[in-house]
Amino acid sequence: MSEATRQKLKTTAAVVAWGLLVGAGMSVLHARAARPGDAGTRPTQWPVDSLISLAADRPTLLVFLDLKCPCARATIAELERILTRCGGRAVARILVEGTEPGAATWANDRALANLARYPGVTVRLDAKGIESNRFAIATSGHVLLFRPDGRLIYQGGVTGARGHEGANYGRDAVIGWILGDEPDVRAFPVFGCALETAASSARERGR
């Protein structure tokens, strides 16, 4: 076998090996993007001890976010699409995970500030995850939609994968319920990172 042939075989083998490595890496990334977070324990009724106000005349959309989660950007973008489409037909309460009252980093977050300009939208710090615990929420990006009588009508995410924007059943279901279409979808996987308080609680239970 000539030196040129041996060199060509080495180059081909290197290219094949590189392709396999890239393919394996892409498969891992795809698997992670498609892996949903913990759905928590689905509530059926608005908790009586919650300090969040329930709208009496239209649906209330609760959104739980951790801004340290890279998937939060996609959730915020989909929320803007929901609010634009629904035109004030629901109120939205966005709760940002935080451990201290002074940790409200959302105040300087441009995307969240933009959402707060929509009618009926409020953004607040969920200090130490008090409300996420009341609603049994474990994952950033989890949304809950309630009727004015406090009954849950939808729970889950509004993105189709971790950090991915675009049409998905969760977003479409929320829009449908708010507009009164009563779609068949009442739950959808939530794609995001575990909330710090939920992770801390899990660690405590495991001791």
Side-chain angles (χ1 to χ4, degrees):
M1 182 183 295
S2 67
E3 181 62 28
T5 300
R6 283 196 296 269
Q7 191 61 39
K8 184 176 181 180
L9 289 174
K10 288 180 180 179
T11 301
T12 301
V15 170
V16 171
W18 175 252
L20 290 173
L21 285 173
V22 171
M26 293 299 293
S27 295
V28 170
L29 289 175
H30 178 74
R32 183 182 182 281
R35 186 174 68 247
D38 185 352
T41 304
R42 184 188 308 180
T44 58
Q45 194 73 22
W46 189 277
V48 295
D49 57 347
S50 174
L51 299 180
I52 308 300
S53 60
L54 176 69
D57 58 344
R58 47 191 163 158
T60 298
L61 181 68
L62 290 186
V63 184
F64 296 85
L65 289 175
D66 184 344
L67 295 184
K68 295 187 294 297
C69 173
C71 310
R73 299 294 113 196
T75 297
I76 292 172
E78 295 302 344
L79 286 173
E80 184 164 9
R81 293 183 175 97
I82 290 171
L83 295 170
T84 299
R85 177 70 177 84
C86 294
R89 298 278 293 273
V91 300
R93 315 297 190 206
I94 302 172
L95 294 100
V96 180
E97 173 88 346
T99 56
E100 300 291 341
T105 55
W106 65 265
N108 298 317
D109 187 280
R110 183 176 299 177
L112 274 183
N114 186 55
L115 286 184
R117 289 198 291 266
Y118 281 82
V121 176
T122 58
V123 183
R124 59 174 287 179
L125 179 72
D126 186 20
K128 299 183 180 179
I130 292 174
E131 292 295 341
S132 64
N133 286 326
R134 283 175 176 148
F135 286 89
I137 299 299
T139 304
S140 176
H142 202 141
V143 308
L144 303 173
L145 185 65
F146 289 88
R147 296 185 189 276
D149 62 3
R151 285 186 298 156
L152 180 73
I153 51 180
Y154 174 83
Q155 74 91 23
V158 291
T159 64
R162 291 176 182 262
H164 287 262
E165 299 177 36
N168 63 86
Y169 289 116
R171 184 190 73 186
D172 292 346
V174 170
I175 291 173
W177 282 110
I178 291 175
L179 297 181
D181 297 334
E182 300 198 359
D184 294 332
V185 178
R186 289 181 174 270
F188 190 70
V190 54
F191 297 97
C193 307
L195 293 175
E196 277 189 8
T197 49
S200 297
S201 298
R203 287 193 295 269
E204 289 294 327
R205 290 194 299 269
R207 289 181 179 177

